[in-house]
Structure formats: C-alpha cells, structure tokens
Amino acid sequence: MFGATRCMFGSNFPVESLWTTYGELVNVFAECLEELSPAERRLVWHDNAARLYRIDAGGRTVEQTIEIQDI
C-alpha cells in the first residue's frame, strides 16, 4: 500500500533484546526487503529517514542529495 518511498526501518530496541539480538532483528528486516531493488532498499534503510528528519548529508541539503541519487 505504501511502497518503499513511504516506509523506513525502525525497531523497539532495546526492549526487543529480551527475546532477540539487534543483529537478528536487522537480518530479518533485510530478508523482508530482499525483493526490492537496491534503490528501494536504500530508501527504506536510510534515505526516507534522512529526508523526514532533515539530516545533513555531507554538507549537502537532503533535497540536493535526493536529486543526485540514481533512483
């Protein structure tokens, strides 16, 4: 329904450490994203959060960073 442009990685860690490790959690999430293209996986893992939270991307604005990406 949302697609890769409207989703991002997140967890309830460290509460989840009661039943799993962070590595296992990330691995399961990565398995769920395997069918996406590399560009779509990057959106979910990084780019959507960088855009939403307006995180500086190496001196460039987030908007400039999105423009230069090959999506």
Side-chain angles (χ1 to χ4, degrees), residues 24-56:
E24 290 170 342
L25 175 73
V26 169
N27 287 336
V28 167
F29 197 86
E31 287 177 21
C32 293
L33 302 178
E34 283 180 350
E35 294 185 22
L36 299 179
S37 72
E40 290 171 320
R41 286 193 300 269
R42 182 178 167 94
L43 283 167
V44 175
W45 284 116
H46 171 271
D47 295 350
N48 292 333
R51 184 184 74 246
L52 179 66
Y53 294 112
R54 300 187 185 281
I55 298 170
D56 183 8

